[in-house]
Amino acid sequence: MFTGKTEQPCCLCDDPETATRIDLPPRAVPAMKHADAIAWQDIVGEVSIHFCANDWELVRDLVLDMGMNPLGRCNVARASFDLREDFEAMLSQTRDEPDHGPVEQRMLEESEAVLEAEEATDRARVEALLVRWTLSDRLPS
C-alpha cells in the first residue's frame, strides 16, 4: 500500500489539471480550510498544495501585489502530506511527535535566500512568502 504524497487537485477549485505546486511546513495546515480534524504535529515532512492555472494567477496577485495570505481558502483535503504511522493504539505506547524544527529551519532559510535573490521566479517568491508568514511566530525576536 502506498501512503506517500500524490498529486492533488487544485486546493481552491478542485480542478484536476494543476499548474503550480507550493511546498509548506506542516504548521501551515491549521490555517487551511477544514483543518480542524488534522493533527498537524503528526505530519512528516512538507505539505504540498496545488493550483490550477487560473487560481495560480489569483494567488500570485494576492501574495505578491496585495500581501494577502490565501491559505484560509485552500481546502486541506486537497493537500498532499505524509502522516506518521499510528501504532500507538495497537501497541499501547505513546510515541514522540515528529520534530519539525529542522524542516522549518531549512524551509525558512531557503525562503529568505529566495526573497533576497533578485531573479527569483514568481512561484518561488510566493512560496517563500507563504513559508515566512506561516513560520513568523517562530522567528527569533
Side-chain angles (χ1 to χ4, degrees):
M1 177 172 88
F2 177 76
T3 59
K5 289 184 180 182
T6 59
E7 186 165 331
Q8 297 291 94
C10 178
C11 68
L12 293 173
C13 71
D14 205 28
D15 184 344
E17 297 295 323
T18 59
T20 305
R21 183 187 94 204
I22 299 290
D23 294 325
L24 301 169
R27 191 174 298 277
V29 167
M32 297 172 76
K33 187 166 41 171
H34 307 302
D36 297 339
I38 298 175
W40 68 267
Q41 298 89 341
D42 288 337
I43 295 174
V44 178
E46 301 166 344
V47 174
S48 298
I49 55 175
H50 303 262
F51 298 98
C52 66
N54 289 335
D55 286 341
W56 172 245
E57 290 179 31
L58 173 64
V59 167
R60 185 189 63 223
D61 292 346
L62 284 172
V63 173
L64 297 179
D65 296 339
M66 297 180 211
M68 296 176 66
N69 190 337
L71 291 181
R73 294 297 205 164
C74 296
N75 188 339
V76 74
R78 297 180 189 127
S80 179
F81 53 86
D82 294 329
L83 287 173
R84 71 180 175 142
E85 295 176 351
D86 186 11
F87 292 108
E88 292 176 2
M90 186 170 66
L91 300 176
S92 298
Q93 295 176 344
T94 302
R95 295 171 56 184
D96 293 332
E97 293 176 357
D99 180 12
H100 293 106
V103 170
E104 291 177 349
Q105 185 63 36
R106 176 185 54 79
M107 291 183 86
L108 187 59
E109 288 171 1
E110 290 171 357
S111 295
E112 295 303 324
V114 165
L115 294 172
E116 291 174 7
E118 291 182 23
E119 296 191 23
T121 65
D122 284 350
R123 192 211 67 77
R125 290 179 32 232
V126 167
E127 182 176 84
L129 285 168
L130 290 176
V131 167
R132 177 192 271 177
W133 294 340
T134 297
L135 298 176
S136 63
D137 64 330
R138 307 236 335 140
L139 293 175
S141 335

